[in-house]
Amino acid sequence: MDTPAIHHQQPNPRDNFKGWRDPAYNDLRRIFSKSYLQKVLTHSSFYETKGKGNSRDIFAGMFVFKGQVAELLHRHVPEDGTRLQHILGNLFRQERLLRLFDQWKLRHFVRAGQNFDIDAHRHIFVYAIFGYVSTLDEPLRNWFITRYILNNEAEHLFAHRPSNRNLLQQADAMVRQTDGRRLQLEMEILDDGLHKAKAVLSDGTILCEATSKSWRYARTKVVKLALNMLATPFRQQLLSNPDYQARVLAREEEKVAQRKADVEQREAAKEALRLKKREERRQQARLADAKRRKSQAEAKKRKAENAARAAAKAAKEARPMSAKKRRHLEDKKK
């Protein structure tokens, strides 16, 4: 994009900051005077009075300027919403903001309170710059965005396609780069019903094989195996030497077998722990049941004893009174 004509606040000749004419400040001098740049980079902690500082510029940088970049992406990048969201997030990633802070040497202009940690908040001062840029005329603002946001550094974000996540295409590209052959998959069903996948080079050489009950998993398994084999720095030798290829395949299969053994060992340990806990719960349940039965038996025994005592008392009260006892009671009444 051609640099637009500038009709903005020009540097004050009286600003004699040492190094202000450094080439690192060329672009900042196009839109700032030294004094105004320092104003934008003054944190609210620098003032005793509330309401001063660059908080509004930071807000504008985080939301208004980012929205303006998002509008350009929406207008010119033919991707779905999720992809555009990922691109926008990567354009404003923390590492990139900190690099801009150092590139523009903003530490010379930043002002903040004594208790404010500037190093931990460098990104907010870059957002303050963005906030001021969001107020510029559209040609100048787009020039800034093109130079610092949508620049060559971000080209890989736009070149990315979902096909880059296709493992078969990655493996095929690695083979083509190495010796010009192509890689493709061949599928067959074995007599026992398993699906067998083969990674075959264009000259008929079988790179590796994998079997599974699932057609899809067999494909995925053989592609990952081929990709792991091709990731070795010696893939040129692997593709040209069948013996070396067999040794690499054997090592890969050994790794797969070892991972499978580790998984089985972990699963066995989990199962043993599960059985142990289940037996402990059963033992606790048996102890609780025995305690409950004992308690019930004791309660039943106490109930029987109480009933026997009550019956004995009732029988005693029901017996006829003797003549001696009757005379004794009559004498007591006199």
Side-chain angles (χ1 to χ4, degrees), residues 26-302:
N26 283 342
D27 292 335
L28 292 182
R29 288 202 306 269
R30 300 186 67 82
I31 54 179
F32 285 105
S33 67
K34 177 202 151 214
S35 59
Y36 198 83
L37 177 62
Q38 194 169 55
K39 177 182 177 182
V40 170
L41 297 177
T42 301
H43 191 259
S44 57
S45 62
F46 184 77
Y47 301 102
E48 296 181 358
T49 305
K50 292 184 177 180
K52 293 184 177 182
N54 60 356
S55 60
R56 290 180 60 86
D57 294 304
I58 296 172
F59 174 84
M62 287 183 171
F63 298 101
V64 179
F65 180 76
K66 190 178 290 187
Q68 291 166 343
V69 176
E71 182 182 1
L72 290 176
L73 293 177
H74 183 267
R75 186 186 306 168
H76 299 291
V77 180
E79 295 283 0
D80 58 44
T82 302
R83 178 77 188 117
L84 291 177
Q85 184 178 356
H86 291 167
I87 292 175
L88 185 65
N90 278 291
L91 291 175
F92 290 90
R93 63 188 183 275
Q94 185 87 343
E95 175 267 335
R96 200 177 190 200
L97 299 178
L98 299 182
R99 190 163 63 251
L100 286 175
F101 183 93
D102 296 333
Q103 178 181 343
W104 290 333
K105 300 181 181 179
L106 298 184
R107 186 173 295 279
H108 295 297
F109 298 94
V110 168
R111 295 188 298 179
Q114 294 182 352
N115 296 327
F116 185 80
D117 189 354
I118 295 177
D119 289 331
H121 298 84
R122 287 175 290 168
H123 62 287
I124 70 170
F125 295 103
V126 179
Y127 274 122
I129 297 291
F130 291 163
Y132 175 73
V133 172
S134 68
T135 65
L136 302 179
D137 297 335
E138 185 175 359
L140 185 57
R141 183 177 68 244
N142 288 345
W143 164 79
F144 183 91
I145 291 174
T146 303
R147 182 167 180 80
Y148 289 107
I149 307 300
L150 305 179
N151 52 16
N152 294 336
E153 182 184 350
E155 282 185 356
H156 72 283
L157 298 175
F158 304 104
H160 178 85
R161 292 294 182 269
S163 61
N164 294 352
R165 298 193 295 270
N166 188 312
L167 300 182
L168 179 58
Q169 289 191 10
Q170 292 182 27
D172 179 54
M174 295 175 74
V175 174
R176 283 190 287 119
Q177 291 173 4
T178 303
D179 64 1
R181 286 181 288 181
R182 303 297 300 268
L183 180 69
Q184 59 185 3
L185 295 185
E186 293 183 0
M187 302 293 299
E188 64 175 295
I189 302 178
L190 303 179
D191 295 337
D192 54 2
L194 295 177
H195 294 274
K196 184 175 183 179
K198 300 178 182 178
V200 184
L201 301 178
S202 55
D203 61 355
T205 303
I206 298 177
L207 186 62
C208 55
E209 300 177 346
T211 57
S212 175
K213 294 180 180 180
S214 168
W215 177 87
R216 178 173 297 179
Y217 184 68
R219 287 175 55 90
T220 304
K221 188 176 179 180
V222 75
V223 171
K224 288 185 176 180
L225 183 58
L227 194 59
N228 287 336
M229 294 173 65
L230 293 169
T232 175
F234 307 103
R235 63 173 177 267
Q236 177 69 49
Q237 183 180 357
L238 181 148
L239 294 171
S240 60
N241 188 337
D243 294 335
Y244 182 77
Q245 178 180 333
R247 292 197 300 272
V248 173
L249 182 58
R251 286 199 297 269
E252 291 295 331
E253 291 176 346
E254 183 179 353
K255 290 179 182 178
V256 172
Q258 183 61 43
R259 287 196 295 268
K260 184 177 180 181
D262 292 341
V263 171
E264 291 177 349
Q265 184 178 1
R266 288 195 298 269
E267 293 297 328
K270 289 181 181 179
E271 180 65 14
L273 181 60
R274 186 182 67 82
L275 293 176
K276 180 181 177 181
K277 289 184 176 179
R278 185 174 68 178
E279 184 60 30
E280 290 176 350
R281 289 194 297 269
R282 286 180 176 178
Q283 182 65 21
Q284 291 174 358
R286 285 194 292 267
L287 293 175
D289 187 59
K291 185 178 180 180
R292 177 181 59 80
R293 290 177 182 274
K294 181 180 178 181
S295 177
Q296 288 178 343
E298 292 175 349
K300 187 176 181 180
K301 181 179 178 181
R302 287 194 301 271

Side-chain angles (χ1 to χ4, degrees), residues 293-332:
R293 290 177 182 274
K294 181 180 178 181
S295 177
Q296 288 178 343
E298 292 175 349
K300 187 176 181 180
K301 181 179 178 181
R302 287 194 301 271
K303 184 178 180 180
E305 291 174 350
N306 292 336
R309 284 194 295 269
K313 182 178 180 181
K316 182 179 179 181
E317 292 176 350
R319 286 198 303 265
M321 187 179 299
S322 65
K324 183 179 180 180
K325 185 175 181 180
R326 188 181 301 111
R327 286 194 301 267
H328 174 73
L329 293 176
E330 289 176 354
D331 291 341
K332 283 183 67 175

